Amino acid sequence: MAVKSESYFGEKDLWGFIHRSFTKSMGYTEDDLRKPVIGICNTFSELNKCHSHFNELVDYVKRGVWQAGGMPMEFPTISIGEPYVKPTTMLLRNLMAMDTEEMMKAHPIDGVVLLGGCDKTVPAQLMAAASANIPAIVLTGGPMLNGRLQGRSLGACTDCYGFTLEHKAGNLSDEELATAENSVCRSDGHCMVMGTASTMASIAEAIGMALPGCAAIPAPDSRRRHMSEATGKQIVELVRRNIRPRDIMTMDALENAIRITMASGGSTNAIIHLVAIAGRLGFKLPLETFDRISAETPFLLNLRPSGKYQMEEYFEAGGVPALMKELEPLLHGDCLTVTGKTIKENLASEPRTWNPDVIRPMIDPLDSQGGIAVLKGNLAPNGALIKQTAVSPHLKKHRGKAVVFESPEDLAARIDDPDLEVDASSVLVLKNAGPKGAPAMPEIGQIPIPAKLLRQGVRDMVRISDARISGTSYGALIVHVSPEAAVGGTLALVETGDEIELDIAAKRLQLHVSVEELADRRSGWSAPKPHYDRGYGLLFHERVLQAHLGCDFDFLLPPDLREELLREEAEGPGISKS
C-alpha cells in the first residue's frame, strides 16, 4: 500500500532525515513511522460549547487508530461556535473549509478523521474533504441531552426563542427566565432539536461520510466513545482500500442526503451547505432538485421544531439508519459509504424503528411532502426557502401589506416602536441581510414579532428576508431570498405598503407591483457601502456567491463550474415579468 507518509518518512535524503528526526523527538518510534499516518482534525475550543468535549473523543479515536495499525497525529483548525461568533459564523465557514483543506494537503497525512458538530463546522469539513480528496471520515460530537424544567423537555434553541419571547411579552419574570437558562443546556453536545447541527450530522451519515448511527448518539452517552473508537479503526481501513471522499460523495449520494433532510424537517441552512459541497465536487445543484425531492419525500421525523420529540428520542428510536430503512425504496442504495459497503448493504440487517411515533412509517407520514419548500416569483427570481412544516397553518397562503426594514439596524431600532403601523396581517420585510449585505447572511430571518402584537397574542407572522434562520427556528419565515437586496435583487425595491402574496402550495412568492413601477424604483437604487475595506471581510464581500449558489467563494470551485456560475451571476438579477 503506497501512502503519502512514505514519501516523508521513507526517503534516505536530507528531508527524510529531518522528518524522521523531528517526529521521533515527539516519542514516535521507527515502527510507528512505517504505519499510515492518520490526521485527527480536532476542533476543540472553549469558545465553541458544542465542541467542549472533543479532547476526550480524540483519545478514543486515537485508540481505534492504533488498534487498526495506524499512527494518529492530532492537528487543530479554527473552530466556529455558533452562539459566540459575531457578526455570524457564516462569515467563517469558507475560511474554516480553506484552513482544513490546506492542513490536509500540506502534511504527511494518509487519511483524516474530521471532528465537527456545531452548525458550520461539519459543512466546512465536508467541503474541505471534497476538495482535498484524501481518505476521510466524519465524527460528529453528538447532541445534548434534553433540557428539563418542571417535568417538561426543553430544546436549544427552539425554547430559547420561546422563553425570550414570553419574557418580552411580560409573561415571564427575570427570575423565571434565569431558571430556564439553567435548564435548557444540561450536558455537552450540540443543539438537541433538528436544527442545523443535527441536520448536518444526519447529512454526514446519509451522504456516506460518517459511520451508521453516528449522528444521533447523545454526546454524554458512552456509545459516543464507542463510535469514536470505531471511527478511528475505520479510517485506517479507508486508507488501506484507498476509498476517497469523491468515491462516496456522488450526485446520487447528495440526493440521498437531500431526501433525509426533507424527511427530517431539517434546517434550511442545509440547502446552502449541500450546494456548496456539491460545488466543490464539481456538481451544479439547483434549488429545483431540492424542490423535486421534497415533493417526492414524505415528512416522517417527529422532531422539534417541526414535531414533538428531540434527538435523544430519535437515537432511542434507531437514529438515521432507522429513518433510512423506512425511506430505503426512495434512496440510491448502490452508493458507497465509509463502511466500505453500500447503503443497501448497510441497511440489510438494520431493523425498523423502535418507536413509530418518532420515525413515522411512510404509509402514515406527518405530511405528504418534505420539510422545506422552494418559493419563486418576482420577489425571488432565483428562489427563496421556507420550512413549511414549521409554518402556522393559517399563514401557508397569505396576502398582506409589507412593513419594510432597510437593514438589521433599522429593524432593531423600530420593530418595537409602539407607533409602528403594523397588524397581524402585515408582512415583515427585512432587506440587506444577505451574503454581501449584512455582512455574511446572519441568522436573523426570524424577525421578532412587534412587542405590541405580542401583547395582543400574535405569535406568528409572514416574515421575509435575504438572511438565514437557525434550524431551531419556527414560524412563517421566508429566507435566502435571491438575489439579495445588496446586489439589486427585487427585494431591494420593496416599499412599505406594497402587497406581497405567499402561496406555499403553489411555491409562489409574489410582489404585487407593476414592472414599470419596479423599473422606476430601480433607477433610483444604489448599492450599500461594503462593511469591510480590508482583510478577510473584504475578500468575503468580493468573492462570495449568492445563496442559491451555496455562498462559497467563486475561486474555490473547480474552474469549469466556476466559469459557468459566474456567467450566470453576471447576467444580473433582472425583474421577473410574471
Side-chain angles (χ1 to χ4, degrees):
M1 175 184 60
V3 292
K4 183 179 179 182
S5 59
E6 288 180 356
S7 65
Y8 278 73
F9 299 125
E11 297 297 330
K12 300 302 180 183
D13 59 5
L14 171 63
W15 280 108
F17 180 95
I18 292 172
H19 293 149
R20 289 188 297 275
S21 179
F22 277 58
T23 307
K24 288 177 180 178
S25 75
M26 295 186 287
Y28 297 99
T29 67
E30 190 76 30
D31 285 342
D32 294 335
L33 300 185
R34 297 191 183 100
K35 297 179 171 70
V37 175
I38 304 301
I40 302 175
C41 179
N42 183 6
T43 52
F44 163 82
S45 170
E46 291 182 342
L47 289 172
N48 188 345
K49 172 263 181 294
C50 304
H51 294 200
S52 61
H53 59 304
F54 276 21
N55 285 340
E56 180 189 23
L57 297 186
V58 166
D59 288 340
Y60 287 92
V61 174
K62 287 181 177 178
R63 178 191 291 180
V65 172
W66 283 120
Q67 288 175 354
M71 184 176 85
M73 299 189 80
E74 182 182 345
F75 67 91
T77 65
I78 63 169
S79 184
I80 311 171
E82 200 70 22
Y84 304 111
V85 173
K86 301 294 185 282
T88 169
T89 54
M90 194 62 187
L91 183 69
L92 301 178
R93 182 203 66 177
N94 296 347
L95 182 61
M96 182 177 180
M98 293 167 70
D99 182 4
T100 307
E101 176 187 349
E102 297 306 325
M103 290 292 285
M104 289 169 69
K105 292 193 302 189
H107 290 94
I109 294 171
D110 302 310
V112 63
V113 178
L114 300 164
L115 271 75
C118 200
D119 294 14
K120 307 304 177 298
T121 59
V122 173
Q125 290 174 331
L126 288 172
M127 291 160 69
S131 295
N133 200 37
I134 68 169
I137 191 169
V138 171
L139 173 66
T140 50
M144 289 182 272
L145 297 173
N146 291 344
R148 299 293 296 170
L149 178 63
Q150 298 169 357
R152 170 186 165 197
S153 283
L154 303 178
C157 260
T158 300
D159 284 305
C160 306
Y161 295 113
F163 283 121
T164 53
L165 194 75
E166 296 306 324
H167 180 260
K168 179 180 175 181
N171 297 328
L172 279 182
S173 68
D174 291 349
E175 291 77 15
E176 288 171 322
L177 189 69
T179 298
E181 289 170 4
N182 295 336
S183 305
V184 172
C185 301
R186 66 186 185 98
S187 77
D188 290 331
H190 59 69
C191 293
M192 68 291 265
V193 301
M194 187 48 70
T196 305
S198 296
T199 301
M200 291 310 306
S202 301
I203 283 172
E205 192 173 327
I207 208 171
M209 287 294 292
L211 288 176
C214 180
I217 305 170
D221 194 300
S222 62
R223 285 162 287 191
R224 176 62 56 187
R225 299 168 186 163
H226 302 164
M227 178 61 68
S228 301
E229 182 178 304
T231 299
K233 290 179 179 177
Q234 190 60 27
I235 186 59
V236 179
E237 181 65 15
L238 291 174
V239 171
R240 287 182 174 137
R241 294 180 59 179
N242 195 29
I243 296 175
R244 298 171 179 254
R246 292 182 197 172
D247 300 323
I248 294 170
M249 292 193 286
T250 62
M251 181 56 81
D252 282 352
L254 286 162
E255 290 199 355
N256 285 342
I258 295 170
R259 200 170 296 281
I260 293 302
T261 300
M262 297 305 174
S264 302
S267 169
T268 51
N269 288 309
I271 280 71
I272 283 182
H273 300 320
L274 282 166
V275 172
I277 293 163
R280 295 298 188 94
L281 295 163
F283 302 136
K284 185 177 179 182
L285 187 55
L287 294 185
E288 287 76 10
T289 301
F290 293 90
D291 204 40
R292 171 181 60 80
I293 293 175
S294 183
E296 299 168 351
T297 306
F299 172 40
L300 302 181
L301 189 58
N302 195 6
L303 255 62
R304 302 178 75 200
S306 299
K308 178 179 177 182
Y309 300 103
Q310 301 189 146
M311 290 296 288
E312 196 171 336
E313 289 84 10
Y314 187 25
F315 169 60
E316 292 167 358
V320 174
L323 180 61
M324 294 181 74
K325 184 73 171 182
E326 188 62 41
L327 289 166
E328 187 173 6
L330 301 179
L331 298 175
H332 298 289
D334 293 334
C335 291
L336 183 66
T337 74
V338 290
T339 65
K341 300 177 182 178
T342 65
I343 293 285
K344 183 178 180 180
E345 290 170 328
N346 288 343
L347 294 177
S349 59
E350 186 64 38
R352 292 193 180 276
T353 179
W354 303 111
N355 188 337
D357 194 39
V358 176
I359 302 172
R360 301 289 284 270
M362 285 213 291
I363 60 171
D364 184 27
L366 292 161
D367 200 296
S368 61
Q369 293 191 2
I372 299 169
V374 177
L375 305 173
K376 286 201 171 182
N378 66 347
L379 189 50
N382 292 334
L385 304 179
I386 188 166
K387 186 185 281 190
Q388 59 184 342
T389 51
V391 176
S392 299
H394 71 285
L395 294 174
K396 290 189 174 184
K397 186 174 184 179
H398 182 79
R399 183 164 175 162
K401 291 186 177 181
V403 176
V404 175
F405 302 93
E406 294 294 331
S407 67
E409 295 75 21
D410 183 33
L411 174 69
R414 294 195 296 121
I415 189 65
D416 292 327
D417 185 341
D419 295 326
L420 183 69
E421 294 187 9
V422 64
D423 60 36
S425 68
S426 299
V427 175
L428 305 181
V429 177
L430 173 61
K431 302 179 184 180
N432 295 307
K436 294 179 185 288
M441 207 179 178
E443 289 183 346
I444 55 176
Q446 187 159 3
I447 300 169
I449 305 293
K452 68 180 182 181
L453 296 185
L454 278 177
R455 289 190 288 271
Q456 296 171 18
V458 177
R459 290 297 181 269
D460 197 7
M461 298 175 69
V462 174
R463 289 159 277 181
I464 301 173
S465 72
D466 46 12
R468 296 179 301 112
I469 50 172
S470 167
T472 65
S473 299
Y474 54 88
L477 310 174
I478 300 164
V479 290
H480 302 202
V481 172
S482 181
E484 64 174 308
V487 301
T490 310
L491 186 67
L493 310 179
V494 181
E495 295 181 357
T496 293
D498 290 347
E499 283 204 342
I500 295 175
E501 180 187 3
L502 165 66
D503 188 336
I504 295 178
K507 309 293 178 69
R508 185 169 67 246
L509 182 63
Q510 194 74 9
L511 175 67
H512 288 282
V513 175
S514 71
V515 172
E516 293 75 18
E517 173 63 19
L518 290 177
D520 185 58
R521 293 180 188 181
R522 183 174 295 283
S523 67
W525 177 84
S526 59
K529 182 180 178 182
H531 290 268
Y532 299 99
D533 61 6
R534 61 169 299 279
Y536 176 75
L538 181 61
L539 172 67
F540 187 98
H541 178 86
E542 291 180 343
R543 305 306 289 270
V544 70
L545 295 165
Q546 287 292 291
H548 71 289
L549 300 178
C551 293
D552 202 356
F553 293 152
D554 54 20
F555 60 82
L556 293 175
L557 301 180
D560 289 348
L561 180 61
R562 176 170 68 241
E563 291 173 10
E564 179 182 353
L565 296 182
L566 289 177
R567 279 196 305 272
E568 290 182 9
E569 288 226 304
E571 295 175 358
I575 300 176
S576 171
K577 293 180 172 57
S578 60

